[in-house]
Amino acid sequence: MAEEKKSLNFIEQITEEDLASGKHKEIHTRFPPEPNGYLHIGHSKSIILNFELAKKYNGKTNLRFDDTNPSKEEKEYVESISKDIEWLGYEWEGNIRFASDYFEQLYQWAQYIIKKGLAYVDDQTAEEITATRGMPKEPGKESPYRNRSVEENLDLFERMKNGEYKTGKKVLRAKIGMSSPNMNMRDPIMYRILHAEHHRTGNDWCIYPMYDFTHGQSDYLEQITHSICTLEFENHRPLYDWFLDQLHEEGKIRPRQIEFARLNLSFTVMSKRKLAELVENGTVTGWDDPRMPTISGLRRRGYTPESLKTFADKIGVAKRNNVIDIGLLEHSLRDDLNKKVNRVMTVVDPIKVVITNYPEGQKEEYLEAVNNPEDENAGTRMVPFSKELYIERGDFMEEPVKKFFRLSPGKEVRLRYAYFIKCTGVEKNASGEITEIHCTYDPASKGGKSPDGRKVKGTLHWVSKPHAVNVEIRQYDRLFEDPAPDGHKNRDFKDYLNPDSLSINKGAKAEPMVKESKEEDRLQFERKGYYCVDRESTKENIIFNKTVGLRDSWKKKVHEIRHRRKREEKERQRRLQSERAKRENEKKNKK
RNA sequence: UGACCGAUUGUGUAAUGGUAGCACGACAGGUUUUGAUCCUGUUAGUCAAGGUUCGAAUCCUUGUCGGUCAGCCA
């Protein structure tokens, strides 16, 4: 098989150059989440990028929790994040790492930098430090404590560590300069005092290193070659490099920070804060609500790890800001599910059909149905048929619109894998609603094959009424009605919530085999979409989540027809009005 | 009137001085016992203006637009 030649993204290009030049013998990446929330699909881009890059070039990937802020981080998140990464199918190198594993080393490095005369303890308040940092266009002011002696700094830093000062009373700052055009370089804070319990180190420490003084050194300690992060850290790279300049030793790998554009998806929000808001105010049922773009939400919705990987591959990696069409994600999902998932017939919105010429009391009849036309190995199953059936309410129209080739009075259609049936009439209740449809069947068309070569346009899915299993279906629509809910000035993203993002249908009818399905099992309901068993499902109450619908060009056409009709109606009204006006004008003129 | 980064069909993403390609979407057609899948075709793009060059999406200059940065968050 000829290997398809695929162009490399810019990170792969850098990697290949580093390997070719001998700069690195082997590459080593890392995924460094802060354990302060749940992972979302944006993180999955980063996870896949890091793990797949290493896999491609026979390297390794670490999992490291960036836990330098004790007040925000919890064990619960360490667990959920690890689980999500495993679900995606990745194995990190060695044990899970924690930045907190390096607190002692970082402390010693801080002392070393003080001794070099490149760090000082600052007694200014947070407000003073902010005020003297200056503006992007104006340089800041030097701290009055900036020129303390090495001995004094060393002593004060040790006292900070020993808990002699209250939270926020002192900080350790790097002595770089106050006039850099890059705000991150204006004597950045390396350590702050925080009397708070850490999820791993407990009360061992009351000083905690800042991100900038932690990340690069953690990469260095783990001998990471390529430290991949998102674009907003671009302005931090000079500082990342500055600390490594002070600490890097000859012969050791010096990690390189590379930034890429984070993922943005249309019709959703991705920020932790906003997602948390939806959870807290009850808009969704939790972090794993199937409408959430979290990995746990996508998992519960029925997404496959494979579909997330092909999606990540399709969107590519670059440095320009992007908004990816949610349709591309859905395409990747359908593409994967189509190949893997077995078909079954389920009537989501049922209406009763009676086959009037089907022999009364005929013994049970079973028909053979293909499990997956895309996969020969999936085999077949037997589906029960009887005199009374359910079909989809939307598959019948008493007065059909143009090009409707489903069931309507006098028309013949195929019941998939069963028989040709012809509608002979309907029964209605007092308010005129159709309660059942009467049909005749052609016994010669068993299996759905035309006996005499005659063709039907429509093939419908159906379920035998006496054999039907009642199931609950939870259908999800996009959470927001706007393609960029958080992209509007002066408007809250919640203003764009879709009020109909969840609809629960408790009366769907499925063929008997669905009774065998277990949590997270996936099925295609023929002609409807892909569904999976929810974790709240029980034997008595089987619950399916709708993962994604099938592409539906008919629905689109119906929309178009409706639109066109509306437009034509408006046009007609306008014409009538202008004619009327004309006539009146003429009358006036005559007078 | 700061620094850094970016700008290619509707959306993503390639082309690394030499034919602007691919995917999704949209549109049209074919196959079809899922109006699905599959197949074929069509559509549409280099932010602008100058310059260098035989040749520029690519290099240079200027401008325009967008993003990031003023946490003791990451």
Side-chain angles (χ1 to χ4, degrees), chain A residues 13 68 135 235 320 343 405-406 414 447 524 527:
Chain A
Q13 286 178 29
T68 58
M135 301 292 272
N235 292 341
R320 64 187 93 101
R343 274 63 168 167
F405 48 80
R406 276 111 101 140
R414 173 191 294 113
Q524 185 199 92
R527 304 209 301 133

mmCIF file of all heavy atoms in Angstrom, chain A residues 13 68 135 235 320 343 405-406 414 447 524 527, chain B residues 1 12-13 16 26 33-35 68 70 73-74:
data_model
loop_
_atom_site.group_PDB
_atom_site.id
_atom_site.type_symbol
_atom_site.label_atom_id
_atom_site.label_comp_id
_atom_site.label_asym_id
_atom_site.label_seq_id
_atom_site.Cartn_x
_atom_site.Cartn_y
_atom_site.Cartn_z
ATOM 1 N N GLN A 13 7.393 19.783 11.605
ATOM 2 C CA GLN A 13 8.561 20.246 10.852
ATOM 3 C C GLN A 13 9.723 20.561 11.784
ATOM 4 O O GLN A 13 10.861 20.172 11.536
ATOM 5 C CB GLN A 13 8.198 21.475 10.017
ATOM 6 C CG GLN A 13 7.351 21.119 8.810
ATOM 7 C CD GLN A 13 6.945 22.345 8.004
ATOM 8 O OE1 GLN A 13 7.650 23.351 7.970
ATOM 9 N NE2 GLN A 13 5.801 22.276 7.365
ATOM 10 N N THR A 68 0.522 24.450 41.212
ATOM 11 C CA THR A 68 1.287 25.423 42.004
ATOM 12 C C THR A 68 0.397 26.397 42.754
ATOM 13 O O THR A 68 0.889 27.270 43.449
ATOM 14 C CB THR A 68 2.231 26.237 41.101
ATOM 15 O OG1 THR A 68 1.458 26.889 40.090
ATOM 16 C CG2 THR A 68 3.249 25.342 40.450
ATOM 17 N N MET A 135 2.705 50.824 32.306
ATOM 18 C CA MET A 135 1.754 50.466 31.273
ATOM 19 C C MET A 135 2.529 49.885 30.096
ATOM 20 O O MET A 135 3.732 50.094 29.993
ATOM 21 C CB MET A 135 0.983 51.719 30.824
ATOM 22 C CG MET A 135 0.213 52.402 31.941
ATOM 23 S SD MET A 135 -1.157 51.416 32.519
ATOM 24 C CE MET A 135 -2.414 51.969 31.371
ATOM 25 N N ASN A 235 3.977 35.495 24.912
ATOM 26 C CA ASN A 235 4.695 36.578 25.583
ATOM 27 C C ASN A 235 5.416 36.109 26.842
ATOM 28 O O ASN A 235 6.137 36.877 27.460
ATOM 29 C CB ASN A 235 3.727 37.709 25.958
ATOM 30 C CG ASN A 235 3.186 38.409 24.724
ATOM 31 O OD1 ASN A 235 3.765 38.305 23.649
ATOM 32 N ND2 ASN A 235 2.070 39.104 24.889
ATOM 33 N N ARG A 320 -2.710 30.705 13.630
ATOM 34 C CA ARG A 320 -3.724 31.748 13.477
ATOM 35 C C ARG A 320 -4.982 31.361 14.250
ATOM 36 O O ARG A 320 -5.325 30.189 14.365
ATOM 37 C CB ARG A 320 -4.025 31.997 12.005
ATOM 38 C CG ARG A 320 -4.629 30.865 11.250
ATOM 39 C CD ARG A 320 -4.719 31.197 9.766
ATOM 40 N NE ARG A 320 -3.547 30.710 9.051
ATOM 41 C CZ ARG A 320 -3.531 29.590 8.316
ATOM 42 N NH1 ARG A 320 -4.599 28.872 8.175
ATOM 43 N NH2 ARG A 320 -2.444 29.202 7.710
ATOM 44 N N ARG A 343 -26.960 -1.481 13.112
ATOM 45 C CA ARG A 343 -28.233 -0.829 12.845
ATOM 46 C C ARG A 343 -29.351 -1.556 13.578
ATOM 47 O O ARG A 343 -29.277 -2.765 13.796
ATOM 48 C CB ARG A 343 -28.543 -0.866 11.352
ATOM 49 C CG ARG A 343 -27.964 0.255 10.533
ATOM 50 C CD ARG A 343 -26.464 0.276 10.525
ATOM 51 N NE ARG A 343 -25.936 1.176 9.507
ATOM 52 C CZ ARG A 343 -24.677 1.567 9.449
ATOM 53 N NH1 ARG A 343 -23.792 1.154 10.337
ATOM 54 N NH2 ARG A 343 -24.285 2.364 8.488
ATOM 55 N N PHE A 405 -41.914 10.955 -0.929
ATOM 56 C CA PHE A 405 -42.113 9.580 -1.389
ATOM 57 C C PHE A 405 -42.153 8.568 -0.258
ATOM 58 O O PHE A 405 -41.703 7.454 -0.371
ATOM 59 C CB PHE A 405 -41.167 9.190 -2.518
ATOM 60 C CG PHE A 405 -39.722 9.506 -2.322
ATOM 61 C CD1 PHE A 405 -38.915 8.696 -1.550
ATOM 62 C CD2 PHE A 405 -39.168 10.613 -2.956
ATOM 63 C CE1 PHE A 405 -37.571 8.981 -1.399
ATOM 64 C CE2 PHE A 405 -37.823 10.895 -2.809
ATOM 65 C CZ PHE A 405 -37.016 10.087 -2.031
ATOM 66 N N ARG A 406 -42.755 9.018 0.827
ATOM 67 C CA ARG A 406 -43.065 8.089 1.899
ATOM 68 C C ARG A 406 -44.546 7.703 1.781
ATOM 69 O O ARG A 406 -45.105 7.756 0.698
ATOM 70 C CB ARG A 406 -42.757 8.755 3.255
ATOM 71 C CG ARG A 406 -41.285 8.623 3.613
ATOM 72 C CD ARG A 406 -40.497 9.927 3.584
ATOM 73 N NE ARG A 406 -40.297 10.446 4.909
ATOM 74 C CZ ARG A 406 -39.176 11.011 5.355
ATOM 75 N NH1 ARG A 406 -38.102 11.140 4.572
ATOM 76 N NH2 ARG A 406 -39.109 11.475 6.553
ATOM 77 N N ARG A 414 -42.043 0.499 0.875
ATOM 78 C CA ARG A 414 -41.467 -0.727 1.413
ATOM 79 C C ARG A 414 -41.251 -0.568 2.914
ATOM 80 O O ARG A 414 -40.813 0.476 3.378
ATOM 81 C CB ARG A 414 -40.131 -1.007 0.739
ATOM 82 C CG ARG A 414 -39.375 -2.185 1.349
ATOM 83 C CD ARG A 414 -37.951 -2.275 0.849
ATOM 84 N NE ARG A 414 -37.891 -2.591 -0.572
ATOM 85 C CZ ARG A 414 -37.436 -1.746 -1.501
ATOM 86 N NH1 ARG A 414 -37.027 -0.536 -1.144
ATOM 87 N NH2 ARG A 414 -37.408 -2.098 -2.760
ATOM 88 N N GLY A 447 -39.478 -9.855 2.619
ATOM 89 C CA GLY A 447 -38.068 -9.482 2.641
ATOM 90 C C GLY A 447 -37.845 -8.105 2.051
ATOM 91 O O GLY A 447 -36.759 -7.547 2.125
ATOM 92 N N GLN A 524 -27.114 2.480 15.598
ATOM 93 C CA GLN A 524 -27.744 3.400 14.664
ATOM 94 C C GLN A 524 -29.215 3.050 14.592
ATOM 95 O O GLN A 524 -29.561 1.890 14.338
ATOM 96 C CB GLN A 524 -27.143 3.297 13.255
ATOM 97 C CG GLN A 524 -27.727 4.368 12.322
ATOM 98 C CD GLN A 524 -27.552 4.061 10.848
ATOM 99 O OE1 GLN A 524 -28.410 3.454 10.207
ATOM 100 N NE2 GLN A 524 -26.410 4.466 10.300
ATOM 101 N N ARG A 527 -32.348 5.357 9.604
ATOM 102 C CA ARG A 527 -32.939 6.574 9.033
ATOM 103 C C ARG A 527 -33.042 7.713 10.042
ATOM 104 O O ARG A 527 -33.558 8.774 9.724
ATOM 105 C CB ARG A 527 -34.317 6.302 8.409
ATOM 106 C CG ARG A 527 -34.282 5.187 7.333
ATOM 107 C CD ARG A 527 -35.363 5.415 6.313
ATOM 108 N NE ARG A 527 -36.661 5.434 6.960
ATOM 109 C CZ ARG A 527 -37.601 6.356 6.744
ATOM 110 N NH1 ARG A 527 -37.413 7.298 5.860
ATOM 111 N NH2 ARG A 527 -38.729 6.292 7.383
ATOM 112 P P U B 1 2.611 57.383 15.728
ATOM 113 O OP1 U B 1 2.940 56.578 14.634
ATOM 114 O OP2 U B 1 1.793 58.541 15.806
ATOM 115 O "O5'" U B 1 2.482 56.472 17.014
ATOM 116 C "C5'" U B 1 3.499 56.583 18.023
ATOM 117 C "C4'" U B 1 2.858 56.150 19.311
ATOM 118 O "O4'" U B 1 1.814 57.079 19.680
ATOM 119 C "C3'" U B 1 2.141 54.808 19.210
ATOM 120 O "O3'" U B 1 3.067 53.779 19.500
ATOM 121 C "C2'" U B 1 1.050 54.897 20.260
ATOM 122 O "O2'" U B 1 1.512 54.489 21.540
ATOM 123 C "C1'" U B 1 0.747 56.401 20.322
ATOM 124 N N1 U B 1 -0.534 56.782 19.674
ATOM 125 C C2 U B 1 -1.734 56.363 20.238
ATOM 126 O O2 U B 1 -1.779 55.673 21.227
ATOM 127 N N3 U B 1 -2.868 56.769 19.575
ATOM 128 C C4 U B 1 -2.924 57.541 18.445
ATOM 129 O O4 U B 1 -4.022 57.827 17.967
ATOM 130 C C5 U B 1 -1.652 57.944 17.907
ATOM 131 C C6 U B 1 -0.528 57.565 18.515
ATOM 132 P P G B 12 -11.959 29.867 10.063
ATOM 133 O OP1 G B 12 -11.865 30.648 11.304
ATOM 134 O OP2 G B 12 -11.322 30.378 8.815
ATOM 135 O "O5'" G B 12 -11.469 28.404 10.370
ATOM 136 C "C5'" G B 12 -10.315 27.966 9.897
ATOM 137 C "C4'" G B 12 -10.156 26.489 10.124
ATOM 138 O "O4'" G B 12 -11.060 25.759 9.256
ATOM 139 C "C3'" G B 12 -8.767 26.067 9.698
ATOM 140 O "O3'" G B 12 -7.863 26.206 10.773
ATOM 141 C "C2'" G B 12 -8.983 24.643 9.208
ATOM 142 O "O2'" G B 12 -9.056 23.751 10.289
ATOM 143 C "C1'" G B 12 -10.352 24.777 8.531
ATOM 144 N N9 G B 12 -10.219 25.228 7.143
ATOM 145 C C8 G B 12 -10.498 26.472 6.647
ATOM 146 N N7 G B 12 -10.263 26.578 5.364
ATOM 147 C C5 G B 12 -9.793 25.325 4.994
ATOM 148 C C6 G B 12 -9.370 24.829 3.741
ATOM 149 O O6 G B 12 -9.326 25.411 2.654
ATOM 150 N N1 G B 12 -8.979 23.506 3.817
ATOM 151 C C2 G B 12 -8.980 22.747 4.953
ATOM 152 N N2 G B 12 -8.560 21.485 4.831
ATOM 153 N N3 G B 12 -9.362 23.191 6.140
ATOM 154 C C4 G B 12 -9.760 24.482 6.092
ATOM 155 P P U B 13 -6.478 26.934 10.522
ATOM 156 O OP1 U B 13 -5.756 26.913 11.806
ATOM 157 O OP2 U B 13 -6.683 28.209 9.811
ATOM 158 O "O5'" U B 13 -5.764 25.919 9.513
ATOM 159 C "C5'" U B 13 -5.494 24.589 9.940
ATOM 160 C "C4'" U B 13 -5.140 23.728 8.766
ATOM 161 O "O4'" U B 13 -6.201 23.793 7.785
ATOM 162 C "C3'" U B 13 -3.906 24.147 7.983
ATOM 163 O "O3'" U B 13 -2.730 23.675 8.628
ATOM 164 C "C2'" U B 13 -4.141 23.467 6.642
ATOM 165 O "O2'" U B 13 -3.858 22.090 6.716
ATOM 166 C "C1'" U B 13 -5.658 23.634 6.486
ATOM 167 N N1 U B 13 -6.025 24.805 5.672
ATOM 168 C C2 U B 13 -5.962 24.638 4.300
ATOM 169 O O2 U B 13 -5.613 23.597 3.786
ATOM 170 N N3 U B 13 -6.323 25.743 3.564
ATOM 171 C C4 U B 13 -6.736 26.962 4.050
ATOM 172 O O4 U B 13 -7.039 27.853 3.267
ATOM 173 C C5 U B 13 -6.772 27.050 5.492
ATOM 174 C C6 U B 13 -6.427 25.996 6.231
ATOM 175 P P U B 16 6.671 24.899 -1.184
ATOM 176 O OP1 U B 16 6.273 25.522 -2.473
ATOM 177 O OP2 U B 16 7.837 24.010 -1.137
ATOM 178 O "O5'" U B 16 6.836 26.050 -0.086
ATOM 179 C "C5'" U B 16 7.315 27.323 -0.482
ATOM 180 C "C4'" U B 16 8.446 27.767 0.432
ATOM 181 O "O4'" U B 16 7.989 27.684 1.805
ATOM 182 C "C3'" U B 16 9.700 26.897 0.355
ATOM 183 O "O3'" U B 16 10.834 27.711 0.654
ATOM 184 C "C2'" U B 16 9.517 25.919 1.517
ATOM 185 O "O2'" U B 16 10.746 25.430 2.043
ATOM 186 C "C1'" U B 16 8.862 26.839 2.539
ATOM 187 N N1 U B 16 8.032 26.108 3.552
ATOM 188 C C2 U B 16 8.560 25.973 4.813
ATOM 189 O O2 U B 16 9.646 26.422 5.121
ATOM 190 N N3 U B 16 7.767 25.296 5.690
ATOM 191 C C4 U B 16 6.532 24.748 5.439
ATOM 192 O O4 U B 16 5.942 24.171 6.338
ATOM 193 C C5 U B 16 6.056 24.930 4.106
ATOM 194 C C6 U B 16 6.815 25.586 3.224
ATOM 195 P P A B 26 -24.296 20.847 3.313
ATOM 196 O OP1 A B 26 -25.583 20.906 4.041
ATOM 197 O OP2 A B 26 -23.830 19.566 2.758
ATOM 198 O "O5'" A B 26 -24.307 21.929 2.144
ATOM 199 C "C5'" A B 26 -24.669 23.269 2.427
ATOM 200 C "C4'" A B 26 -24.510 24.123 1.188
ATOM 201 O "O4'" A B 26 -23.094 24.253 0.890
ATOM 202 C "C3'" A B 26 -25.102 23.525 -0.083
ATOM 203 O "O3'" A B 26 -26.488 23.760 -0.173
ATOM 204 C "C2'" A B 26 -24.306 24.256 -1.157
ATOM 205 O "O2'" A B 26 -24.763 25.583 -1.324
ATOM 206 C "C1'" A B 26 -22.911 24.286 -0.521
ATOM 207 N N9 A B 26 -22.108 23.122 -0.905
ATOM 208 C C8 A B 26 -21.898 21.969 -0.186
ATOM 209 N N7 A B 26 -21.128 21.103 -0.785
ATOM 210 C C5 A B 26 -20.798 21.714 -1.987
ATOM 211 C C6 A B 26 -20.010 21.313 -3.077
ATOM 212 N N6 A B 26 -19.371 20.146 -3.130
ATOM 213 N N1 A B 26 -19.901 22.162 -4.123
ATOM 214 C C2 A B 26 -20.544 23.336 -4.071
ATOM 215 N N3 A B 26 -21.318 23.837 -3.100
ATOM 216 C C4 A B 26 -21.403 22.968 -2.077
ATOM 217 P P U B 33 -32.010 -1.272 -4.059
ATOM 218 O OP1 U B 33 -31.750 -2.629 -4.530
ATOM 219 O OP2 U B 33 -32.638 -0.263 -4.922
ATOM 220 O "O5'" U B 33 -32.845 -1.383 -2.696
ATOM 221 C "C5'" U B 33 -33.649 -0.283 -2.290
ATOM 222 C "C4'" U B 33 -33.796 -0.297 -0.788
ATOM 223 O "O4'" U B 33 -34.696 -1.360 -0.401
ATOM 224 C "C3'" U B 33 -32.488 -0.509 -0.045
ATOM 225 O "O3'" U B 33 -32.521 0.304 1.117
ATOM 226 C "C2'" U B 33 -32.595 -1.966 0.402
ATOM 227 O "O2'" U B 33 -31.905 -2.255 1.596
ATOM 228 C "C1'" U B 33 -34.100 -2.083 0.650
ATOM 229 N N1 U B 33 -34.609 -3.443 0.618
ATOM 230 C C2 U B 33 -35.094 -3.945 1.812
ATOM 231 O O2 U B 33 -35.119 -3.286 2.826
ATOM 232 N N3 U B 33 -35.530 -5.221 1.758
ATOM 233 C C4 U B 33 -35.544 -6.035 0.661
ATOM 234 O O4 U B 33 -35.977 -7.175 0.760
ATOM 235 C C5 U B 33 -35.009 -5.453 -0.543
ATOM 236 C C6 U B 33 -34.559 -4.202 -0.523
ATOM 237 P P U B 34 -31.546 1.582 1.130
ATOM 238 O OP1 U B 34 -32.052 2.594 0.201
ATOM 239 O OP2 U B 34 -30.150 1.150 1.066
ATOM 240 O "O5'" U B 34 -31.843 2.079 2.607
ATOM 241 C "C5'" U B 34 -33.193 2.181 3.063
ATOM 242 C "C4'" U B 34 -33.275 3.307 4.068
ATOM 243 O "O4'" U B 34 -32.469 2.942 5.215
ATOM 244 C "C3'" U B 34 -32.715 4.635 3.568
ATOM 245 O "O3'" U B 34 -33.435 5.692 4.174
ATOM 246 C "C2'" U B 34 -31.299 4.633 4.092
ATOM 247 O "O2'" U B 34 -30.768 5.901 4.275
ATOM 248 C "C1'" U B 34 -31.498 3.942 5.441
ATOM 249 N N1 U B 34 -30.274 3.313 5.926
ATOM 250 C C2 U B 34 -29.823 3.672 7.189
ATOM 251 O O2 U B 34 -30.414 4.462 7.905
ATOM 252 N N3 U B 34 -28.666 3.073 7.572
ATOM 253 C C4 U B 34 -27.926 2.179 6.855
ATOM 254 O O4 U B 34 -26.905 1.723 7.333
ATOM 255 C C5 U B 34 -28.454 1.854 5.554
ATOM 256 C C6 U B 34 -29.581 2.432 5.152
ATOM 257 P P G B 35 -34.328 6.635 3.250
ATOM 258 O OP1 G B 35 -35.192 7.255 4.249
ATOM 259 O OP2 G B 35 -34.887 5.943 2.089
ATOM 260 O "O5'" G B 35 -33.315 7.749 2.749
ATOM 261 C "C5'" G B 35 -32.624 7.619 1.522
ATOM 262 C "C4'" G B 35 -32.344 8.990 0.969
ATOM 263 O "O4'" G B 35 -33.599 9.568 0.551
ATOM 264 C "C3'" G B 35 -31.746 9.945 1.992
ATOM 265 O "O3'" G B 35 -30.937 10.890 1.295
ATOM 266 C "C2'" G B 35 -32.963 10.675 2.541
ATOM 267 O "O2'" G B 35 -32.712 11.975 3.012
ATOM 268 C "C1'" G B 35 -33.835 10.754 1.275
ATOM 269 N N9 G B 35 -35.264 10.831 1.569
ATOM 270 C C8 G B 35 -35.962 10.330 2.622
ATOM 271 N N7 G B 35 -37.236 10.594 2.567
ATOM 272 C C5 G B 35 -37.380 11.317 1.412
ATOM 273 C C6 G B 35 -38.522 11.890 0.831
ATOM 274 O O6 G B 35 -39.683 11.861 1.241
ATOM 275 N N1 G B 35 -38.227 12.560 -0.337
ATOM 276 C C2 G B 35 -36.973 12.652 -0.901
ATOM 277 N N2 G B 35 -36.861 13.327 -2.039
ATOM 278 N N3 G B 35 -35.883 12.120 -0.372
ATOM 279 C C4 G B 35 -36.172 11.481 0.774
ATOM 280 P P U B 68 -7.504 38.444 22.948
ATOM 281 O OP1 U B 68 -8.383 37.640 23.807
ATOM 282 O OP2 U B 68 -7.728 39.897 22.773
ATOM 283 O "O5'" U B 68 -6.003 38.236 23.419
ATOM 284 C "C5'" U B 68 -5.489 36.924 23.606
ATOM 285 C "C4'" U B 68 -4.035 36.996 23.982
ATOM 286 O "O4'" U B 68 -3.276 37.529 22.861
ATOM 287 C "C3'" U B 68 -3.710 37.952 25.110
ATOM 288 O "O3'" U B 68 -3.963 37.358 26.372
ATOM 289 C "C2'" U B 68 -2.233 38.220 24.878
ATOM 290 O "O2'" U B 68 -1.444 37.129 25.315
ATOM 291 C "C1'" U B 68 -2.174 38.278 23.351
ATOM 292 N N1 U B 68 -2.259 39.654 22.827
ATOM 293 C C2 U B 68 -1.095 40.402 22.824
ATOM 294 O O2 U B 68 -0.041 39.968 23.262
ATOM 295 N N3 U B 68 -1.214 41.665 22.315
ATOM 296 C C4 U B 68 -2.353 42.244 21.807
ATOM 297 O O4 U B 68 -2.293 43.401 21.370
ATOM 298 C C5 U B 68 -3.525 41.415 21.846
ATOM 299 C C6 U B 68 -3.440 40.182 22.340
ATOM 300 P P A B 70 -2.017 40.686 31.872
ATOM 301 O OP1 A B 70 -1.851 39.815 33.051
ATOM 302 O OP2 A B 70 -3.341 40.854 31.224
ATOM 303 O "O5'" A B 70 -1.476 42.136 32.234
ATOM 304 C "C5'" A B 70 -0.266 42.277 32.966
ATOM 305 C "C4'" A B 70 -0.193 43.655 33.555
ATOM 306 O "O4'" A B 70 -0.100 44.615 32.479
ATOM 307 C "C3'" A B 70 -1.424 44.111 34.330
ATOM 308 O "O3'" A B 70 -1.370 43.660 35.671
ATOM 309 C "C2'" A B 70 -1.335 45.615 34.240
ATOM 310 O "O2'" A B 70 -0.410 46.134 35.165
ATOM 311 C "C1'" A B 70 -0.790 45.789 32.821
ATOM 312 N N9 A B 70 -1.862 45.996 31.835
ATOM 313 C C8 A B 70 -2.406 45.063 30.992
ATOM 314 N N7 A B 70 -3.355 45.549 30.202
ATOM 315 C C5 A B 70 -3.432 46.874 30.562
ATOM 316 C C6 A B 70 -4.230 47.918 30.112
ATOM 317 N N6 A B 70 -5.150 47.794 29.154
ATOM 318 N N1 A B 70 -4.061 49.137 30.678
ATOM 319 C C2 A B 70 -3.141 49.282 31.644
ATOM 320 N N3 A B 70 -2.319 48.361 32.150
ATOM 321 C C4 A B 70 -2.524 47.173 31.564
ATOM 322 P P C B 73 -2.005 34.693 42.611
ATOM 323 O OP1 C B 73 -3.155 35.368 43.205
ATOM 324 O OP2 C B 73 -1.719 33.282 42.952
ATOM 325 O "O5'" C B 73 -2.098 34.812 41.021
ATOM 326 C "C5'" C B 73 -1.512 33.852 40.195
ATOM 327 C "C4'" C B 73 -2.536 32.844 39.768
ATOM 328 O "O4'" C B 73 -3.560 33.517 38.999
ATOM 329 C "C3'" C B 73 -2.035 31.754 38.864
ATOM 330 O "O3'" C B 73 -1.458 30.720 39.631
ATOM 331 C "C2'" C B 73 -3.313 31.320 38.178
ATOM 332 O "O2'" C B 73 -4.087 30.497 39.041
ATOM 333 C "C1'" C B 73 -4.048 32.649 38.008
ATOM 334 N N1 C B 73 -3.841 33.279 36.697
ATOM 335 C C2 C B 73 -4.624 32.833 35.613
ATOM 336 O O2 C B 73 -5.421 31.907 35.808
ATOM 337 N N3 C B 73 -4.476 33.420 34.412
ATOM 338 C C4 C B 73 -3.594 34.405 34.255
ATOM 339 N N4 C B 73 -3.498 34.959 33.047
ATOM 340 C C5 C B 73 -2.791 34.869 35.329
ATOM 341 C C6 C B 73 -2.939 34.284 36.523
ATOM 342 P P A B 74 -0.115 30.032 39.175
ATOM 343 O OP1 A B 74 0.280 29.133 40.268
ATOM 344 O OP2 A B 74 0.830 31.053 38.683
ATOM 345 O "O5'" A B 74 -0.554 29.158 37.919
ATOM 346 C "C5'" A B 74 -1.483 28.097 38.070
ATOM 347 C "C4'" A B 74 -1.970 27.688 36.707
ATOM 348 O "O4'" A B 74 -2.651 28.818 36.101
ATOM 349 C "C3'" A B 74 -0.878 27.344 35.709
ATOM 350 O "O3'" A B 74 -0.476 25.999 35.824
ATOM 351 C "C2'" A B 74 -1.536 27.652 34.381
ATOM 352 O "O2'" A B 74 -2.396 26.602 33.986
ATOM 353 C "C1'" A B 74 -2.374 28.875 34.720
ATOM 354 N N9 A B 74 -1.676 30.138 34.422
ATOM 355 C C8 A B 74 -0.762 30.781 35.194
ATOM 356 N N7 A B 74 -0.312 31.901 34.663
ATOM 357 C C5 A B 74 -0.981 31.987 33.453
ATOM 358 C C6 A B 74 -0.952 32.943 32.419
ATOM 359 N N6 A B 74 -0.185 34.038 32.437
ATOM 360 N N1 A B 74 -1.733 32.733 31.334
ATOM 361 C C2 A B 74 -2.495 31.639 31.310
ATOM 362 N N3 A B 74 -2.616 30.675 32.234
ATOM 363 C C4 A B 74 -1.820 30.911 33.290
#
